Amino acid sequence: MTTRRDILRGGLAATAGLAAGTAARAEGDPLITELQDWNHVLGDGVDANPYGMPSRHEAHVKRRSVEWLTADPVSSVNFTPLHELDGIITPNGLCFERHHGGVADIEPAKHRLMINGLVDTPLVFTMQDLMRFPRENRVYFLECAANSGMEWRGAQLNGCQFTHGMIHNVMYTGVPLRLILEEAGVKTNGKWIMPEGADAAAMTRSIPIEKAMDDCLVAFKMNGEALRPEQGYPLRLVVPGWEGNMWIKWLRRIEVGDQPWHHREETSKYTDLLENGTARRFTWEMDAKSVITNPSPQAPILHSKGPTVLTGVAWSGRGTIPRVDVTIDGGKNWHEARMSGPSFDKSMHRFYYDFDWDGTPLLLQSRAHDSTGYVQPTKEELRQFRGVNSIYHNNGIQTWYVNEKGIAENVEIS
Amino acid sequence: ASAATFGLGRPATADEIAAWDIDVRPDGVGLPEGSGDVTTGEEIFTDRCAVCHGDFGEAVGRWPVLAGGQGTLSDDRPNKTIGSFWPYLSTVYDYVHRAMPFGDAQSLTADETYAITAYLLYLNDIVDDEEFVLSRDNFLEVEMPNAEGFMPDDRMETEFPVFVKADVCMENCKDAVEITGRAAILDVTPEETRARQLKEA
């Protein structure tokens, strides 16, 4: 049976593709002239949703995966729907996931953090112990080293969710790692730390002690609430500005040593093969990068020519983003975008470029500048240094082609 | 050993550290007592590893290839395996012991892990003797083909001088622009996304 609500919804979908409902306006919009359900039928009470979810009309705003990328969904990745988001904070339920042994299910009362190795006193902490250290709140991006990695050889996936969605940006609450290490007392020959996860992958990485003592956090909250299980509940390492693999989830142990461990995730993986057959290792920092999130292949222009909002995000593992340039003609001419919202160190930044679309095809690009003076390179410039087989650290400029209908496509241009 | 402490946590016991501290380094620190030979390794590998990695480490489906590929690192399509790419044997022992078999991690004994590691060396032609026995004593004698294939991150020296720019072009930066590659031609994006595109076209 077709209900009045169905017809209404159908009508809405049809108008969305037209010129912003001008026809409806001229004839008197039934959405205004007729009483709508929600105008007189009572809605849910306050006890209907103790933990609220987005409107059912936002069901398309979700993490997506690409089946062919990995052998198995347990050691795999999914993608943040960047094209549906605005501002700089990623909602917890939409933060991309990357696991190597699935999502560990850990009862916080049974979780332990051990500090051992080159320390005066090896220690064990409960979650309760950790909650008694002084805390800090910081907003940082976490970008997978492989974000955009499928795009090294050319335009491949059609949507910024897939080309750039291995990233999220949240506020972490946690304890400076320095305080926890000092509690155990790092010996003078303690030059490296090795965090380890409690999950079935028992992920390990080597991190120099200078970084550990500088700005790393042992975090238990994201965006105000406990970490999501898929983000390391109840405890994860935060390694600001550095590749996401190092942000060990379900953190159970930190060993202090006098040299790096060269474990699987820093030899076989997370090393960057160059054209001459040698590989860079310990490429920790994520360089300045940006992407236009609207318009983009998953977010076409649905209105006719006229005022158009172009927006996107930019970030750098080496500082802040004071400036982003935008082109709509494939780099012939550039315009300084308008930055909006807070500018935090090693965090996402939101930019806008408001322009009058004349209805002709566009070639869109964004170019981030970070606080060190580094300017985001083109993919071709990066290939000059690295070839096409380095997998990780692709921060090249992204191009979207937008046709006269407003449909956008992932392309490469000369 | 500086700064004020909070008196939080408690000392870890030797047993606790032994239970969790299983990591192995390239200099052999962390290797346990034990040994295993190629033939034993082949039996265990066939039983517990081959279903994903293939009988000869060649891999099934998209599971990781463990053997072969030597000399391919500068090819257009490199084949990065233990034999062709991994710099240290310690990484093989450590990773197999901590994280494999996938779905049943930390179920292998020290002897079993030595045996599998020995078999992986055999599959990669790094040892050619089926009688070869790998143990803590001879572990560091094994030379990995790509041990010298890695260098530190040199982006600050190579890329930064080029990418840190005082000025960037803002106007009339090029005469012509051509599209040189298109994702839509490849058409490998999940269907749902493409469907939305077509519907809204």
Side-chain angles (χ1 to χ4, degrees):
Chain A
M1 190 184 96
T2 309
T3 66
R4 188 160 160 269
R5 189 174 284 200
D6 288 335
I7 292 165
L8 253 175
R9 210 176 299 143
L12 268 175
T15 18
L18 295 176
T22 38
R25 200 154 55 228
E27 293 157 19
D29 188 347
L31 287 168
I32 298 169
T33 59
E34 292 177 16
L35 194 64
Q36 306 299 312
D37 287 353
W38 57 89
N39 299 144
H40 61 105
V41 177
L42 297 176
D44 285 339
V46 293
D47 50 1
N49 294 298
Y51 194 110
M53 293 295 285
S55 160
R56 62 192 173 89
H57 306 292
E58 297 295 317
H60 56 288
V61 183
K62 60 182 183 181
R63 296 183 284 224
R64 290 181 174 84
S65 60
V66 177
E67 204 185 320
W68 56 263
L69 273 183
T70 52
D72 176 284
V74 169
S75 180
S76 193
V77 65
N78 63 20
F79 301 88
T80 303
L82 291 177
H83 61 294
E84 297 283 359
L85 304 180
D86 218 311
I88 64 166
I89 297 294
T90 315
N92 287 341
L94 295 175
C95 288
F96 89 99
E97 304 167 61
R98 172 66 168 123
H99 319 304
H100 293 74
V103 180
D105 176 15
I106 301 176
E107 190 181 327
K110 293 183 178 173
H111 191 68
R112 302 288 183 268
L113 175 65
M114 180 186 290
I115 311 292
N116 74 310
L118 297 177
V119 292
D120 296 332
T121 314
L123 291 175
V124 171
F125 298 100
T126 63
M127 286 302 295
Q128 205 173 38
D129 294 332
L130 295 171
M131 307 292 275
R132 296 169 68 191
F133 281 96
R135 294 173 209 168
E136 283 184 7
N137 293 295
R138 304 279 179 204
V139 176
Y140 293 122
F141 75 84
L142 184 169
E143 184 184 16
C144 179
N147 200 21
S148 316
M150 299 83 77
E151 304 290 310
W152 269 114
R153 280 174 185 269
Q156 184 158 230
L157 287 162
N158 217 12
C160 69
Q161 178 167 18
F162 303 106
T163 57
H164 290 74
M166 292 188 210
I167 188 167
H168 48 72
N169 198 70
V170 305
M171 177 175 281
Y172 295 96
T173 305
V175 178
L177 175 57
R178 174 177 54 81
L179 296 182
I180 295 171
L181 291 173
E182 283 172 352
E183 197 70 18
V186 175
K187 291 182 187 292
T188 50
N189 57 342
K191 298 299 182 199
W192 292 80
I193 66 159
M194 188 204 72
E196 177 181 73
D199 60 317
M203 175 80 76
T204 45
R205 285 296 302 259
S206 303
I207 299 176
I209 195 77
E210 293 77 14
K211 180 68 173 176
M213 291 297 196
D214 179 18
D215 58 359
C216 290
L217 295 176
V218 172
F220 37 78
K221 290 212 157 60
M222 58 192 287
N223 290 335
E225 63 177 2
L227 296 172
R228 292 294 172 90
E230 65 272 25
Q231 302 299 338
Y233 179 82
L235 202 65
R236 91 169 308 161
L237 192 63
V238 170
V239 191
W242 289 21
E243 60 188 16
N245 181 262
M246 308 176 83
W247 299 47
I248 303 296
K249 299 189 282 190
W250 312 289
L251 180 69
R252 79 165 190 183
R253 189 169 72 94
I254 296 170
E255 185 170 341
V256 180
D258 60 355
Q259 50 181 277
W261 280 260
H262 295 287
H263 275 182
R264 189 248 197 181
E265 305 292 328
E266 53 205 16
T267 54
S268 170
K269 308 295 179 188
Y270 304 97
T271 53
D272 311 353
L273 188 62
L274 305 180
E275 230 167 4
N276 65 6
T278 67
R280 287 174 177 163
R281 67 173 149 214
F282 298 152
T283 46
W284 297 313
E285 287 94 350
M286 301 305 292
D287 288 322
K289 187 168 174 179
S290 66
V291 65
I292 293 168
T293 54
N294 303 80
S296 64
Q298 296 160 285
I301 301 176
L302 295 174
H303 56 74
S304 60
K305 61 187 182 182
T308 301
V309 174
L310 178 157
T311 187
V313 282
W315 60 93
S316 170
R318 303 183 194 264
T320 59
I321 299 287
R323 172 177 165 187
V324 175
D325 304 324
V326 167
T327 177
I328 63 172
D329 58 13
K332 290 180 186 169
N333 298 286
W334 292 84
H335 316 274
E336 204 168 320
R338 179 169 58 85
M339 309 304 295
S340 176
S343 171
F344 297 118
D345 189 43
K346 304 176 178 67
S347 165
M348 264 190 189
H349 294 68
R350 173 63 58 176
F351 65 86
Y352 296 96
Y353 176 62
D354 309 290
F355 72 106
D356 212 15
W357 183 38
D358 62 6
T360 60
L362 306 168
L363 284 166
L364 307 179
Q365 293 182 330
S366 60
R367 179 173 70 190
H369 302 238
D370 79 11
S371 47
T372 72
Y374 177 100
V375 180
Q376 184 184 0
T378 63
K379 286 208 267 179
E380 197 46 44
E381 284 176 301
L382 283 176
R383 290 184 193 121
Q384 296 301 317
F385 286 100
R386 307 186 197 171
V388 294
N389 284 319
S390 59
I391 303 178
Y392 307 106
H393 293 278
N394 180 359
N395 65 319
I397 288 173
Q398 174 67 46
T399 311
W400 306 128
Y401 168 68
V402 181
N403 71 14
E404 65 287 343
K405 290 177 183 167
I407 304 298
E409 185 187 340
N410 176 10
V411 299
E412 288 209 15
I413 59 173
S414 58
Chain B
S2 59
T5 56
F6 297 89
L8 293 167
R10 52 127 182 119
T13 70
D15 282 354
E16 288 172 337
I17 295 171
W20 278 7
D21 185 350
I22 59 171
D23 49 86
V24 179
R25 291 198 321 204
D27 60 2
V29 169
L31 280 172
E33 288 286 356
S35 65
D37 63 274
V38 171
T39 308
T40 308
E42 180 176 10
E43 287 166 22
I44 303 167
F45 191 91
T46 303
D47 193 32
R48 307 208 55 194
C49 316
V51 63
C52 294
H53 295 294
D55 286 337
F56 305 100
E58 79 281 10
V60 174
R62 289 189 58 81
W63 297 104
V65 180
L66 303 183
Q70 290 186 27
T72 68
L73 294 183
S74 53
D75 288 1
D76 184 44
R77 301 279 176 175
N79 184 11
K80 291 152 70 184
T81 73
I82 291 168
S84 71
F85 191 61
W86 292 34
Y88 305 113
L89 188 61
S90 57
T91 314
V92 180
Y93 185 101
D94 176 89
Y95 183 69
V96 170
H97 185 234
R98 81 169 46 243
M100 289 288 126
F102 190 63
D104 194 13
Q106 299 191 24
S107 63
L108 296 167
T109 65
D111 285 347
E112 288 172 329
T113 311
Y114 277 115
I116 290 172
T117 306
Y119 184 58
L120 288 168
L121 288 171
Y122 182 78
L123 286 181
N124 278 290
D125 303 318
I126 297 169
V127 302
D128 53 12
D129 179 6
E130 288 182 40
E131 309 293 310
F132 174 76
V133 179
L134 184 68
S135 70
R136 187 164 72 176
D137 296 334
N138 68 354
F139 201 91
L140 297 185
E141 292 164 21
V142 178
E143 283 177 34
M144 297 293 278
N146 196 43
E148 303 302 317
F150 295 81
M151 59 169 177
D153 183 1
D154 64 352
R155 282 177 290 174
M156 290 304 276
E157 295 79 48
T158 55
E159 297 182 7
F160 267 60
V162 177
F163 298 153
V164 173
K165 296 170 184 163
D167 290 304
V168 290
C169 180
M170 295 299 284
E171 281 179 21
N172 303 315
C173 303
K174 41 177 138 168
D175 295 333
V177 180
E178 263 182 69
I179 293 176
T180 55
R182 312 180 66 137
I185 290 170
L186 280 173
D187 197 21
V188 288
T189 308
E191 200 54 31
E192 185 190 10
T193 306
R194 198 168 148 269
R196 176 161 180 236
Q197 233 182 60
L198 294 172
K199 188 185 83 190
E200 288 170 343

